[in-house]
Amino acid sequence: MSDSTLPAAASSRLRNTISWLAWPGLLAISIAIMAYGFTVAMPALFFNIAYLLLALCLYGLEQVMPHERVWNENDGQTFANIAHTLTSKGVVQAAVVFSTVIGISSYVTPAAEPGYGIWPRSWPMWSQVLLAIAVAEFGLYWGHRLAHEWPWLWRFHAVHHSVTRLWIVNTGRFHFVDSFKSIALGMVILLALGAPMEVLIWLSAITAFIGILTHCNIDMKFGPLSWWFNTPELHRWHHSKDLREGNKNYSENIMLWDHVFGTFYNARDYRPPVDIGIQEEMPPGFLQQLAWPFRRRS
């Protein structure tokens, strides 16, 4: 082997190693930072730190080892993506999850008391969080699935699916009505069961971490992870224009309910489509996109 091929071989091995370790490694680091935030009683601060670090790492990897190079090209939607994120994931999630839910718990007295409901508060926190992910996923799954199957809900969800490339900046591109629906369906079940606020915060954080990982444009390998978790490999199929592929993989975090209800899809012998989006025509402007679901159609 010549001297010139040695660096190329080493670079290829490094890239392959990163492609296998990036998804589980970055998720584990983000969760560890969040856990430290709870130990110092500052979960909100350390969530923001973890999310920012995760976003920076993913953006860097998107530049050097993209899954689809064409998805790194400007589509003119960066401002709209950020604006949707701020109005939807920023305002709605922060206000509803961290403020409104806490407020509801204080007014609905039983929900704030340790003895309320059937939630296993005596379990270790890690096991409560795992249970919360599985339970909340039922509401998230059906909220997502109905957004594809009910035309009046699809109008709002189509704003997210109208993207023609996947990358971290359109992770939060959701119409605020769509976000309200998803948050409500995921959290109400846990509140009704009497889950404590720490569990709800953990669920919100993990959903945010997996969400940005799911939409990243990075050449990653997953193996059996895609059987259990919502990985980019699965979510790329979900954004297909072919509804035989697109109306699959509705889960947000774990694929439990897709397996149960027969909507899991991963064609390992084929590459997910590069040409993604919707059949309808979505206006390019942010304000136009907010108004688009409310317009009358024939």
Side-chain angles (χ1 to χ4, degrees), residues 250-271:
Y250 295 114
S251 297
E252 298 287 342
N253 298 307
I254 58 174
M255 305 309 296
L256 171 63
W257 300 110
D258 277 293
H259 287 299
V260 170
F261 295 112
T263 51
F264 178 86
Y265 183 81
N266 190 16
R268 291 187 176 273
D269 294 334
Y270 302 94
R271 188 178 179 87

Side-chain angles (χ1 to χ4, degrees), residues 27-252:
L27 178 59
I29 292 171
S30 300
I31 291 174
I33 294 173
M34 188 68 189
Y36 178 77
F38 274 105
T39 65
V40 295
M42 292 188 292
L45 172 62
F46 279 87
F47 164 75
N48 287 318
I49 292 173
Y51 195 83
L52 177 60
L53 290 175
L54 178 59
L56 290 174
C57 290
L58 292 177
Y59 179 77
L61 289 173
E62 285 184 333
Q63 307 312 304
V64 298
M65 47 185 296
H67 170 73
E68 298 289 355
R69 291 195 176 277
V70 68
W71 286 355
N72 278 354
E73 297 176 5
N74 185 15
D75 61 355
Q77 286 295 294
T78 300
F79 174 79
N81 292 336
I82 295 173
H84 280 298
T85 300
L86 294 177
T87 58
S88 177
K89 292 300 183 182
V91 176
V92 176
Q93 187 162 317
V96 174
V97 176
F98 291 103
S99 299
T100 307
V101 170
I102 294 173
I104 290 172
S105 296
S106 64
Y107 285 108
V108 184
T109 304
E113 295 176 352
Y116 171 78
I118 61 173
W119 191 262
R121 291 175 179 246
S122 61
W123 289 11
M125 182 50 60
W126 65 267
S127 58
Q128 291 188 53
V129 172
L130 292 179
L131 177 62
I133 292 172
V135 171
E137 194 69 65
F138 181 82
L140 294 171
Y141 170 89
W142 278 107
H144 194 175
R145 181 169 177 174
L146 291 177
H148 280 251
E149 297 180 354
W150 288 7
W152 62 279
L153 283 178
W154 168 252
R155 294 178 186 178
F156 299 99
H157 193 55
V159 172
H160 178 71
H161 274 269
S162 64
V163 296
T164 57
R165 61 169 177 156
L166 290 174
W167 67 309
I168 61 168
V169 177
N170 55 36
T171 298
R173 180 195 170 98
F174 288 91
H175 196 283
F176 66 88
V177 173
D178 195 22
S179 285
F180 268 117
K181 175 262 301 173
S182 298
I183 292 171
L185 290 174
M187 293 297 179
V188 165
I189 299 175
L190 297 180
L191 280 174
L193 294 174
M197 190 53 54
E198 184 174 351
V199 169
L200 300 179
I201 295 173
W202 263 116
L203 174 66
S204 299
I206 291 174
T207 301
F209 297 148
I210 291 182
I212 193 171
L213 281 163
T214 297
H215 289 84
C216 70
N217 178 30
I218 301 171
D219 181 21
M220 294 179 176
K221 296 181 176 64
F222 305 98
L225 286 175
S226 287
W227 182 258
W228 301 104
F229 297 97
N230 184 23
T231 64
E233 180 178 40
L234 299 180
H235 201 63
R236 290 164 190 153
W237 289 112
H238 179 71
H239 275 263
S240 172
K241 289 181 178 179
D242 184 344
L243 298 185
R244 294 171 298 179
E245 302 165 348
N247 285 351
K248 303 288 184 181
N249 301 335
Y250 295 114
S251 297
E252 298 287 342

